[in-house]
Amino acid sequence: MALPVEEWRRSAARCWAVLEPALRERLAAAPLGEALRMGCGLFGPEEAALQRLCRRARTGKEPAAARFYREEGNRQFGRCCYRDAVRLYSQAAAHEPPRSPEVALCFANRSAALFHLGHFEVCLEDIARAESHGYPDRLLPKVLLRKAECLLRLGKLQDATDTLTAVENKMTVDGIMTSPIHRMLLKKLSQLKTEIHEGSCPEPAREAHGDIQRESEIWEENGSISGASSSLSLNFSTERGRHLVASQDILPGQNLLKEKAFVSVLCPGEGDSLLLQDSSETVWDTRVTNADLYCHHCLKQLLASIPCCGCSYAKYCSQNCADVAWEQYHRTECPLGALLLTLGVFCHVALRTVLLAGFSEVSRLVEWSRDDSNKDLCNAEAGGEHPSEVLDTRAGRKVIPGCNDNGQYQSSYQAVFNLLPHVEKHSPEHKFLCMLSIVAICKKLQETGLEAAVLNGESSTTGSEQKTCGKTSDELSPELMIMAEAMLRHVLQLQCNAQAITVMQELESGDGAVVNKKPVRLATAFFPVLSLLNHSCSPNISVSFSGTAATVRASQPIPSGQEIFHCYEMLCCSNEACAFSVSRERLSQRLLDLQQQMEKALELLRDSKADEAIKMLLKCQIDARNFLSPEHLLMGELEDHLAQVYATLGKWQEAARHLGRSIQLVEMHHGPSSVEMGHELFKLAQILFNGFAVSEALSTIQRAEEILSVHCGPQSTQIQELQEMKTCLLELPRSILQRT
């Protein structure tokens, strides 16, 4: 959710509507700093309403929630649903206070589920966490035996022997050898010792570490643009603003830019970890969102998350990520969690941006932007009669906005600050909403005593020890006003300069015969260099992400002198006639109803009710034809889902037929060489492979390889899977190859 929740937007709209016309005019015309000063006085009457909304997103640690999630985890563990159990134990741990027996129990339980999933290294890490957080001494033999078994599975025989000796000594010293549970432990101990002595331990387990891409391309970095290839140059004109052009001929698949986000914030997804219902009964939410699946710092996919010490929302892939996040920004964000979820991702990105930059750099640039002599430099891209470069009157030389004193454009806060906020293009109502939201954040910083930490960057205590001592005032301090002005600027910038970090997320399906993936928005970020690319509906590059890093590759030949274009558009209805046949509201509702029916069909497929899923999808297809054009993207999605169901049933020819229709629409909308086309051909290759349509599979594999190697690189997981399928098909007996 980029913008604040709907209720806060309505509240701000009502506040704007009752203002005197003269005041509205002053606010609309005022510079950002002046608008914020006026907004401080207007926020007071709305504060109570915002506080009520914040109570719906509860981010504190709650023992009742911890008990609920732990019990749910136990139930899933008992059903052998170990992956679900891991997730639920993680949610329980997030709600327990740090360094407590309760959180230690969560880690120990999670280690058991991880053991059954074969994640032995991670299981050992959780056992160590359980011990360090005060796991009850009387229960230690059980987890130590699990530790020994993990070490045995990993081929670490001496460590396993030492652990078993420690377990045996402990049980002897404790003198509790007669209960049924301890007799069972003794039996397990004897079994493991026998395995070690007889050398019957299994092959050391190798755990998957994801898709590690190796760059084979020789990379020559640009001396003027950080992270960019030497094949690019930075230009500036009044018509195009700052933009990148090819300084030499570029080939398809060639790497053009590698940039780590200056700042990124995980999008929470649908719903928060807990939504407070309007009834008196508290309902704990077990839905899986981005907040449960990805590290809140590096965006790496989570297996066994490390919870924040102060809140239940932030989760990390490692203690290192947790520590770095705390030092850089989360020590300030932690007490503001519910407020930031309520105000939306754009406000959260704005706050984190100034926290990462630091008050000194923020203050320098805000003061610089207020200087009348720099107005031309600040507004150069907003239009007007300016030369191809802009005169920096203080330096007495011409520079491109955002470049440093050496003329280099770096992925820095200075570059972020110089992205255009397009203040004049935002509606007065929208600017008022953004202004009130930023005032709310700064007021909260002031009230909770966090202002000093924000301004001085001083280290603070851990989340569980933070004090909420501060001051209340209708006005912000001059220093906090500077931070507020920069934050408001960033919120307005994000409307045009926000970059969605996406990930190909695997969708649940029937038997997994065909891997079905779709791009999912994972985070919102500032990429200063990537933001130099102007929009085109016919882009000549493709952008992929790994964690917080973006890689830009040429998707087609780019001759020297041609501008580099990126497509920022979101997909919408492809046939304008649809909007005239019914009202837009009615069209939106019918589309929503159709998508909900399609989701129900996929639920049936997940429940192994494929025949019912086919009937529902065919009915959706009939309904869709009544109000959508045959070329609409949803028609392609329906064909794609039908292919998925038929593949689950092993009806490969039917699956290929439906997927072929989907591919026709994907090619029409995205082009024959698009990354979307590559993903569809990858699915078709799997279907043809499973159906032993050898010649068709080989030709499809070749097409998919050609496209995906350009967009994703030759070492991507999909390329490797395609090559494995090709090798398998080519190794078939010649008689089979000739028949197909």
Side-chain angles (χ1 to χ4, degrees), residues 449-471:
L450 289 167
E451 182 179 355
V454 172
L455 301 181
N456 302 324
E458 62 188 28
S459 181
S460 63
T461 55
T462 58
S464 58
E465 300 165 352
Q466 285 212 14
K467 300 176 182 178
T468 56
C469 56
K471 56 183 178 181

Side-chain angles (χ1 to χ4, degrees), residues 688-689 691-699 701 725-740:
L688 295 170
F689 175 86
F692 276 92
V694 179
S695 60
E696 292 176 77
L698 286 171
S699 63
I701 287 170
M725 283 191 282
K726 184 199 295 183
T727 301
C728 184
L729 291 172
L730 292 174
E731 289 176 351
L732 290 172
R734 187 175 297 275
S735 57
I736 295 179
L737 290 173
Q738 288 173 343
R739 287 203 305 270
T740 57

Side-chain angles (χ1 to χ4, degrees), residues 579-592:
F580 297 104
S581 59
V582 293
S583 70
R584 289 187 180 274
E585 292 77 12
R586 176 61 178 151
L587 173 64
S588 298
Q589 187 58 51
R590 292 185 74 174
L591 283 170
L592 181 61

Side-chain angles (χ1 to χ4, degrees), residues 395-406:
R397 57 189 174 81
K398 293 180 178 180
V399 297
I400 293 178
C403 291
N404 63 17
D405 292 340
N406 297 320

Side-chain angles (χ1 to χ4, degrees), residues 83 160 325 370 491 662:
R83 195 167 298 280
R370 292 172 177 173
V491 171
S662 172

Side-chain angles (χ1 to χ4, degrees), residues 373-374 376-377 386-387 389-399:
S373 65
N374 291 315
D376 284 350
L377 191 59
H386 297 289
E389 294 176 309
V390 182
L391 181 65
D392 183 343
T393 54
R394 291 186 303 177
R397 57 189 174 81
K398 293 180 178 180
V399 297

Side-chain angles (χ1 to χ4, degrees), residues 201 463 690:
C201 60
N690 284 296

